[in-house]
Amino acid sequence: MSTEGHHERRTFRDNLFLDIKAASLEFLGTATFILLGLGGVQAGSISAGSTVERTMYYATSLGLSLLISAWLFYRITGGLFNPNISLALCLVRVITPMRFVLYSISQLAGAIAGAAILRALTPEPYNVNVFLATNINKAQGVFIEMFITAALVLAVLMLAAEKHEATPFAPIGIGLTLFACQLFAINFTGAAMNTARAFGPAAITGFPYTGHWVYWVGPFLGSLLGVAIYAFLKHSRYWNINPGQTAMDPERSPADPVDTFKSTLTQSDDTGARRSGSLTRPSASTDNRREPNGGLEKHGLNNSAV
């Protein structure tokens, strides 16, 4: 019995059971990501260091946490840990609406659990909430979160949802994308790009900062923007723009540049000889009568590459 046939005969109850199982494991994965990632943020916040050093510490902690957690759960749930990624995958029909709803709930709950464990295990002050910098208004915050979320969404869609030779290594690219976005936005908005990441610590601490809605609206718009860019790339048949880019056959590599240069020189010399010969010889017909193949091989005129 084929796997496809087995999937086709699943009942709604069977699918719901699988969705609930996946959501429960997504809860565990999200809690792991939040605990590891924000644990590094908490450790960095109570350590001495310059602003640049702390920024690098926070970005590295969150980027590596996503890379590791996503790789651990990649073959189990997809390793999303983010309602905004779940929304994007639902819009492109990678996951069903039911799984999207269950995933979003489990991701928000997992973020709360991870943030609660972190608060219980580490000393005060608890410095892992995201908030807008004093020189950033709410509109700027929304658009910053939108663009960095769109970058993360596009990384997931192009590296994980799109199937190619590098797909098994998608968590590396996704983690590095988060790292880069953290470097850009962490000093402006905290670089949440994930409503669950913002919601978990805020719920534990009683929402101490105003403007929390920014971390719902911005990432939501980022999901839509990332999906729109992905849809444009798919509709444009992006794989035809630079074909063979993911090929692994060495024979499809560029030719030896030295051999290519020599071949170019040889062809140039042959072309020059033919042109000069046409001026000095009375006619090609004389040679054609005296030589095999009408003289075409000697003068290079029977070469299909010419």
Side-chain angles (χ1 to χ4, degrees), residues 6-227:
H6 180 67
H7 287 333
E8 288 173 0
R9 292 216 294 266
R10 280 181 186 159
T11 65
F12 173 79
R13 183 177 178 180
D14 293 334
N15 289 327
L16 180 61
F17 176 75
L18 286 176
D19 289 342
I20 293 174
K21 182 187 292 186
S24 64
L25 293 170
E26 187 71 5
F27 167 87
L28 179 60
T30 304
T32 302
F33 163 60
I34 292 296
L35 179 60
L36 294 179
L38 297 190
V41 174
Q42 175 72 350
S45 69
I46 61 176
S47 303
S50 66
T51 301
V52 173
E53 289 173 336
R54 290 190 178 188
T55 298
M56 288 295 298
Y57 196 96
Y58 299 160
T60 303
S61 174
L62 286 161
L64 286 178
S65 175
L66 181 60
L67 190 160
I68 293 168
S69 302
W71 223 338
L72 288 174
F73 288 85
Y74 186 60
R75 293 186 299 165
I76 304 171
T77 67
L80 310 185
F81 318 141
N82 186 335
N84 309 106
I85 299 297
S86 300
L87 174 61
L89 293 180
C90 179
L91 292 176
V92 300
R93 302 181 68 180
V94 172
I95 62 176
T96 63
M98 175 62 73
R99 183 164 290 200
F100 159 64
V101 172
L102 293 175
Y103 266 19
S104 297
I105 295 172
S106 66
Q107 287 156 355
L108 292 170
I112 293 174
I117 295 172
L118 178 63
R119 187 171 190 182
L121 294 178
T122 57
E124 296 288 349
Y126 190 68
N127 294 321
V128 298
N129 277 297
V130 289
F131 54 89
L132 299 179
T134 55
N135 57 343
I136 297 293
N137 61 46
K138 291 180 174 61
Q140 290 174 315
V142 166
F143 280 103
I144 290 174
E145 286 292 320
M146 180 185 75
F147 285 121
I148 60 177
T149 303
L152 185 62
V153 165
L154 194 59
V156 172
L157 292 176
M158 293 301 295
L159 299 178
E162 288 288 289
K163 304 307 177 188
H164 45 77
E165 289 84 351
T167 296
F169 303 99
I172 298 177
I174 296 168
L176 290 175
T177 302
L178 181 70
F179 173 76
C181 292
Q182 289 283 327
L183 292 178
F184 161 42
I186 197 167
N187 290 319
F188 302 130
T189 67
M193 69 190 89
N194 179 344
T195 298
R197 181 263 179 268
F199 180 75
I204 292 298
T205 55
F207 299 93
Y209 299 101
T210 60
H212 180 72
W213 61 268
V214 167
Y215 301 100
W216 290 76
V217 176
F220 170 75
L221 295 176
S223 296
L224 301 183
L225 178 60
V227 169

